[in-house]
């Protein structure tokens, strides 16, 4: 074994041992549904903020998105990271955090489908939301393994399926034993690794290119179509409109993702929300901003990365690994643990969300006489199921590149979930006038856009004759995902204005939680 393999093995063994210990030691918090799914609604700001951040940023961002958007936009791709920090984290916590915590406790809602069902007094809406989560969250979960192959292949000569299996088994162990609390604590540990890891990697890559000034000068000399020079060091990059769509999808989209919003259900108090907002934002600035900033230097390695032989386009998942391959052994070892941490933290959040949603909102829907122990046991069984399915999808995708359906399904998942859920969820926290019909229409709208995008991409449909606007919208899953979200924000108030309203007394009772009187210490409030 060489020095890189030895260091990586030591760090991985230590990492695995800590994850297993946390899972086993937190099992006492996962004896009932409230504890297993929400940590008893008593999780502090640090754990919640790191759980939010690590669920947000996975290996998909570090390896895939950083490589792809860094290649396309250069250093301007950093705007995507800053958007994630200030829109996806800071604004999300301020707009959704407190109201989500209060309303979900008022309704006793434990999942997003459960929230829709109780907020609109509609079992069909709950079932529909559960179906959307089930259909689109599994391929999204499978995408988390992307990027692990090239990184582990760079250090260890082991089959990709072994990497997936190890990650899946380890994640399953601590989630099954400790539920949300184990996930939150491990997310905190994994978040610290991500913070220090990304800083070390950025520093090493920049120094390897002669320092920040020299690296930027080299990048400014890289040519781009229609530019005399400096395209990839310019303020907004060579394609500002495409960059804007990326920022909106990756930042605003989190407001409608059940695994992200679910973090607000469990936070302990108002003061913890204020602290969590700051912590989460700083975390996102460093991790997301750092990842995209690092990816911005990808074109400096254009002679070393791999290209698709049929299209001549770069294989984006190879860009970041190529950048790292020239770094010292200790940095590569840190990166291996960093990427594994990022992937496992998001995977644990997704499988816990999927299993709890399917168990509570589908299997035991409306059955109040079922014991908590049976529900928790069922959730643990479905955690195993979802992990196995997602791992199998990832292995099939890697083993059979011709199976393009899986890859494209992964691409549209984010847009489908956010397009369906963002608008009705956001409006319903603030406005009594949102209706069941408007929510249902938005569900159909978000899924329809995603399915149409899937059909166009798989069928290689020529959309050039559809007009400039439609052609641009369905040019990629990023563009159509943004349209699905923004369209939902327009559709919901319009349909709500012309459709049947809920009972006023029922709504007043629901929203009374926001005006309830509470006592606080003078040092917290002076008015």
């Amino acid at each position: 074994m060489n020095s890189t393999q030895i260091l990586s093995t030591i760090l991985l063994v230590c990492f695995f041992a800590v994850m297993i210990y946390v899972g086993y030691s937190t099992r006492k918090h996962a004896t009932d549904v409230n504890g297993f799914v929400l940590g008893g609604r008593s999780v502090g700001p640090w754990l919640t903020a790191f759980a939010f951040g690590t669920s947000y940023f996975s290996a998909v961002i570090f390896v895939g998105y950083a490589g792809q958007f860094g290649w396309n936009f250069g250093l301007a791709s950093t705007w995507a990271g800053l958007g994630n920090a200030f829109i996806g984290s800071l604004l999300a916590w301020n707009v959704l955090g407190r109201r989500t915590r209060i309303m979900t406790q008022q309704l006793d809602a434990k999942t997003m489908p459960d929230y829709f069902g109780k907020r609109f007094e509609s079992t069909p809406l709950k079932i529909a939301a559960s179906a959307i989560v089930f259909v689109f969250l599994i391929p999204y979960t499978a995408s988390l393994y992307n990027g692990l192959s090239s990184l582990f292949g760079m250090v260890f000569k082991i089959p990709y399926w072994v990497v997936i299996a190890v990650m899946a088994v380890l994640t399953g162990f601590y989630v099954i034993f400790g539920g949300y609390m184990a996930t939150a604590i491990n997310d905190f540990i994994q978040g610290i690794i991500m913070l220090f890891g990304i800083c070390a990697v950025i520093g090493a890559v920049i120094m390897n290119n002669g320092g920040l000034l020299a690296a930027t000068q080299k990048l400014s000399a890289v040519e781009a179509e229609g530019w005399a020079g400096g395209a990839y060091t310019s303020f907004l990059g060579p394609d500002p409109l495409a960059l804007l769509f990326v920022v909106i999808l990756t930042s605003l989209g989190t407001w409608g993702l059940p695994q992200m919003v679910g973090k607000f259900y469990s936070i302990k108090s108002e003061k913890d929300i204020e602290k969590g907002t700051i912590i989460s934002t700083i975390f996102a600035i460093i991790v997301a901003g750092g990842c995209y900033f690092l990816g911005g230097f990808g074109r400096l390695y254009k002679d070393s990365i791999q290209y698709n032989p049929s299209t001549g386009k770069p294989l984006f998942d190879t860009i970041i690994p190529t950048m790292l391959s020239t770094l010292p052994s200790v940095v590569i070892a840190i990166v291996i643990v960093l990427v594994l941490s990022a992937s496992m933290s998001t995977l644990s959040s997704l499988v816990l969300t999927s299993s709890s949603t399917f168990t509570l909102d589908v299997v035991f829907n409306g059955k109040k006489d079922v014991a908590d122990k049976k529900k928790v046991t069922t959730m643990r069984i479905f955690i195993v199921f979802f992990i196995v399915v997602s791992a199998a999808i990832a292995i099939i995708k890697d083993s059979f590149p011709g199976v393009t359906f899986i890859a494209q399904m992964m691409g549209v998942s984010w847009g489908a979930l956010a397009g369906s859920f963002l608008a009705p969820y956001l409006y319903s926290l603030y406005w009594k006038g949102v209706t069941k019909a408007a929510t249902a229409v938005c569900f159909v709208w978000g899924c329809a856009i995603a399915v149409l995008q899937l059909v166009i991409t798989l069928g290689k449909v020529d959309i050039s004759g559809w007009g400039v606007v439609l052609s641009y919208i369905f040019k990629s899953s990023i563009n159509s995902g943004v349209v699905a979200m923004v369209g939902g924000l327009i559709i919901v108030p319009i349909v709500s204005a012309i459709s049947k309203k809920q009972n006023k007394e029922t709504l007043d009772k629901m929203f009374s939680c926001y005006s309830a009187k509470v006592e606080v210490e003078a040092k917290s409030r002076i008015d």
Side-chain angles (χ1 to χ4, degrees), residues 47-67:
L47 292 185
T48 302
F50 271 68
F52 185 90
T54 53
S55 297
Y56 198 161
F57 311 118
S58 67
V60 176
I61 287 182
F62 182 76
V63 178
Y65 281 4

Side-chain angles (χ1 to χ4, degrees), residues 45-233:
W46 284 91
L47 292 185
T48 302
F50 271 68
F52 185 90
T54 53
S55 297
Y56 198 161
F57 311 118
S58 67
V60 176
I61 287 182
F62 182 76
V63 178
Y65 281 4
Q68 177 181 350
F69 299 143
W71 180 272
N72 291 338
F73 308 118
L75 295 183
S77 63
T78 307
W79 283 113
L82 296 178
N84 294 172
F86 294 108
I87 299 174
S89 296
L90 177 64
L91 201 57
W93 275 75
N94 278 294
V95 174
L96 301 178
R98 180 176 178 274
R99 284 189 169 254
T100 292
R101 175 64 174 82
I102 295 172
M103 181 62 85
T104 55
Q105 185 172 28
Q106 171 82 346
L107 300 176
D108 192 28
K110 297 178 176 64
T111 66
M112 184 175 276
D114 190 26
Y115 168 83
F116 283 124
K118 291 177 177 177
R119 169 65 176 82
F120 297 103
E121 302 173 287
S122 172
T123 299
L125 270 186
K126 180 164 75 169
I127 298 299
S130 300
I132 294 171
V133 170
F134 180 80
V135 171
F136 291 103
L137 207 55
I138 288 183
Y140 178 56
T141 303
S143 71
L144 300 178
Y145 301 99
N146 288 355
L148 290 176
S149 175
S150 50
L151 278 174
F152 272 80
M154 187 173 71
V155 178
F156 303 103
K157 305 303 179 183
I158 55 177
Y160 182 37
W161 70 265
V162 174
V163 178
I164 293 176
V166 170
M167 175 179 160
V169 169
L170 184 61
T171 304
F173 178 88
Y174 73 74
V175 178
I176 289 169
F177 266 94
Y180 184 82
M181 189 59 75
T183 300
I185 293 174
N186 275 332
D187 284 351
F188 179 73
I189 296 169
Q190 291 158 353
I192 292 175
I193 294 172
M194 291 167 67
L195 285 173
F196 284 99
I198 192 63
C199 292
V201 171
I202 292 172
V205 168
I206 288 176
M207 293 307 296
N208 198 41
N209 283 279
L212 181 59
L213 182 60
T216 305
Q217 287 175 336
K218 291 178 186 177
L219 187 62
S220 67
V222 177
E223 296 182 359
E225 185 178 350
W227 285 72
Y232 300 107
T233 55

Side-chain angles (χ1 to χ4, degrees), residues 12 21 91 141 147 155 218 289 317 320 328 388 399 406 421 426 486 492 498 503 506 511 521:
L12 286 173
Y21 172 77
L91 201 57
T141 303
V155 178
K218 291 178 186 177
D317 283 357
I320 298 298
V388 169
S399 303
I406 291 176
F421 296 148
L426 172 62
V486 175
V492 169
I498 59 176
N503 180 272
T506 302
F511 278 76
E521 296 177 345

